[in-house]
Amino acid sequence: MTITAVDVLDVRFPTSRSLDGSDAMNPDPDYSAAYVVLHTDDGHEGHGFTFTIGRGNDICCAAVETLSEYVVGTDVDGPAALGDLYKRLTHDSQIRWLGPEKGVMHLAAAALVNAAWDLAARRAGLPLWRYLSGLSPEEIVGCVDWRYLSDALTPEEALAFLREAEAGKAERIEAVERDGYPAYTTSPGWLGYDDEKVVRLAREAVAAGYTQIKLKVGADLEDDRRRFAAARSAVGPGIRIAVDANQRWDVDQAVDWVKALAEFDPWWIEEPTSPDDVLGHAAIRERLAPIKVATGEHVHNRVMFKQLLQAGAIDFLQLDAARVAGVNENLAILLLARKFDVPVCPHAGGVGLCELVCHLSMFDYTSVSATMEDRVIEYVDHLHEHFTAPTRIVDGRYRAPTEPGFSAEMKRDSLVRFAYPNGPEWRSN
């Protein structure tokens, strides 16, 4: 199965018009995707993307075009070949200089790596989570780049974890197919929504079966206290409410601000400070306990996650399907989380991210952590209609994807309509 061509599309949705996705750091996002289609000599396709919030998506697309030369002509038949492709995209010395292993080039690698896994799962006739769950421990370990990790986790330790999880795997696969995976929703909490909308959407979320919601905070303390009080009154004491500052604060400011919200019982504070500040997160966690700390959607790579875990800086690890270099690097991150016994609660606040991350969490449950305790996947209720296999939520839980692939494929009409800058949606506004 040789890749013969790569299509790259700049796709943007004007979510800033309704303030969907708005927060203290990103007030006017246009949810966007640097979208990739891989074509093979046997007629198969692989779809993937990396997520941005508007301006700069063209730069991501240019980076994908640059990396495409490492993909065309390669064989991606099987996990070993997918591991080789991932390393080829991240190890080139001249491209690596632009990171290393971070930034726009890493986002571009994610789009291509994810598309290659989509291709492999489609060809196998399996949803990605089932495809991953069917790989042997040795195949999973072979997909990981172990450089820089061995002081925290060795390949031998990872093999032991994966072999331990073999017991009961079939029953867990059956359970996730039957019952799905717990979700929480951010849909009530965008910062641009007025109080009435926050209350209405919070009540609707609880009625729909969610046991956790999330509010954006960090622009104005009195506004946050008022909105949090309204949301807590609407849902009652039994519902977890997480808060998300989207990197808005310095360390001392984060501590003071969250303490001022403590009376409303926040479950976690997400991205309280710079995603690069490992020691800052550790200090915030120590000073705010028992309120928990979560981060990860902007963490560059497996090495940063390793340090957050080694420093005891986080209570919840929020991996992103397309911030690091795709499936392979996320396998490493799941294994690191298993070593440090930190629950993975993926970030999914963006176009298509819900579709992707549920595969990773379901594989984590079947084959790595073997538990759903304190684990939830973020859900945001918009833009799913543009995908051929959209996420389904029933009673506050993700239903297990059943269609072959990584659930990344967008509908052709949507790709045309929202193409930037010449698609009909953009020409008419």
Side-chain angles (χ1 to χ4, degrees):
M1 184 171 60
T2 300
I3 297 172
T4 56
V6 179
D7 298 333
V8 185
L9 298 89
D10 185 339
V11 184
R12 308 189 194 186
F13 299 90
T15 50
S16 62
R17 296 174 191 168
S18 57
L19 299 180
D20 293 341
S22 55
D23 59 57
M25 191 64 80
N26 309 291
D28 58 350
D30 286 322
Y31 278 4
S32 305
Y35 189 85
V36 172
V37 184
L38 306 180
H39 301 273
T40 69
D41 56 356
D42 61 356
H44 285 82
E45 291 184 354
H47 296 253
F49 57 85
T50 196
F51 168 66
T52 77
I53 62 168
R55 288 183 293 276
N57 201 53
D58 50 340
I59 299 173
C60 276
C61 289
V64 176
E65 294 275 10
T66 297
L67 289 178
S68 293
E69 65 181 82
Y70 297 83
V71 176
V72 173
T74 62
D75 174 18
V76 289
D77 191 9
L82 290 163
D84 289 342
L85 175 64
Y86 158 66
K87 291 174 183 176
R88 191 177 309 118
L89 291 170
T90 56
H91 283 199
D92 178 273
S93 65
Q94 295 183 9
I95 293 295
R96 189 176 182 277
W97 187 266
L98 301 178
E101 297 183 63
K102 63 175 70 76
V104 170
M105 299 312 299
H106 221 45
L107 294 173
L112 290 162
V113 168
N114 286 340
W117 280 93
D118 178 69
L119 176 60
R122 284 168 178 263
R123 199 162 185 265
L126 294 169
L128 181 74
W129 72 273
R130 283 297 308 268
Y131 180 72
L132 287 170
S133 299
L135 299 181
S136 70
E138 291 77 13
E139 287 173 319
I140 293 295
V141 168
C143 289
V144 172
D145 183 356
W146 290 99
R147 183 165 52 182
Y148 310 135
L149 298 185
S150 61
D151 58 316
L153 176 68
T154 66
E156 292 74 23
E157 287 178 300
L159 272 173
F161 292 143
L162 292 165
R163 288 168 179 164
E164 180 183 347
E166 288 288 290
K169 181 193 287 188
E171 290 78 11
R172 290 191 297 276
I173 290 173
E174 181 181 344
V176 81
E177 289 179 328
R178 181 185 66 244
D179 303 327
Y181 198 103
Y184 78 91
T185 181
T186 305
S187 295
W190 301 119
L191 204 62
Y193 291 174
D194 61 33
D195 292 7
E196 182 180 355
K197 188 171 184 178
V198 170
V199 167
R200 174 174 59 82
L201 293 177
R203 287 174 176 160
E204 289 176 0
V206 173
Y210 294 98
T211 58
Q212 179 175 327
I213 64 172
K214 189 166 75 182
L215 301 178
K216 298 292 185 173
V217 298
D220 181 273
L221 179 55
E222 290 311 309
D223 283 349
D224 288 347
R225 284 179 53 82
R226 187 192 69 252
R227 293 169 70 250
F228 203 157
R232 175 57 74 197
S233 177
V235 302
I239 299 297
R240 291 175 175 177
I241 302 181
V243 293
D244 184 357
N246 291 95
Q247 316 160 32
R248 184 63 182 251
W249 303 317
D250 287 348
V251 170
D252 290 342
Q253 186 182 18
V255 172
D256 292 343
W257 201 298
V258 177
K259 284 184 175 179
L261 301 176
E263 67 180 283
F264 308 114
D265 192 22
W267 174 238
W268 74 51
I269 173 59
E270 181 174 333
E271 285 201 311
T273 192
S274 166
D276 301 342
D277 192 352
V278 173
L279 297 183
H281 277 85
I284 290 167
R285 181 178 182 238
E286 180 179 4
R287 293 166 64 184
L288 283 179
I291 298 171
K292 304 177 190 303
V293 172
T295 202
E297 70 183 80
H298 280 87
V299 172
H300 301 302
N301 52 43
R302 67 199 185 283
V303 181
M304 292 294 295
F305 277 112
K306 180 191 77 169
Q307 293 179 75
L308 286 163
L309 293 165
Q310 286 175 316
I314 54 175
D315 297 284
F316 297 103
L317 188 154
Q318 296 176 301
L319 62 75
D320 184 282
R323 169 66 61 177
V324 300
V327 170
N328 297 74
E329 194 161 16
N330 273 316
L331 293 176
I333 293 162
L334 289 172
L335 288 164
L336 284 165
R338 168 66 178 83
K339 167 68 180 288
F340 288 88
D341 196 25
V342 171
V344 174
C345 298
H347 167 246
V351 58
L353 296 182
C354 296
E355 278 68 25
L356 300 187
V357 292
C358 65
H359 289 271
L360 300 176
S361 282
M362 291 175 186
F363 164 72
D364 178 56
Y365 171 62
T366 66
S367 306
V368 184
S369 69
T371 181
M372 293 184 188
E373 184 177 358
D374 279 342
R375 287 158 170 83
V376 283
I377 308 171
E378 184 175 23
Y379 178 71
V380 176
D381 186 17
H382 53 234
L383 304 177
H384 303 289
E385 67 273 15
H386 300 292
F387 288 84
T388 61
T391 289
R392 291 195 309 118
I393 302 287
V394 178
D395 295 330
R397 299 175 74 90
Y398 275 81
R399 303 306 301 170
T402 57
E403 296 193 19
F406 202 0
S407 306
E409 183 179 1
M410 288 189 190
K411 296 176 180 177
R412 304 292 170 154
D413 288 349
S414 296
L415 293 174
V416 171
R417 179 182 169 193
F418 292 94
Y420 188 86
N422 296 316
E425 186 69 27
W426 293 102
R427 286 202 311 268
S428 63
N429 292 278

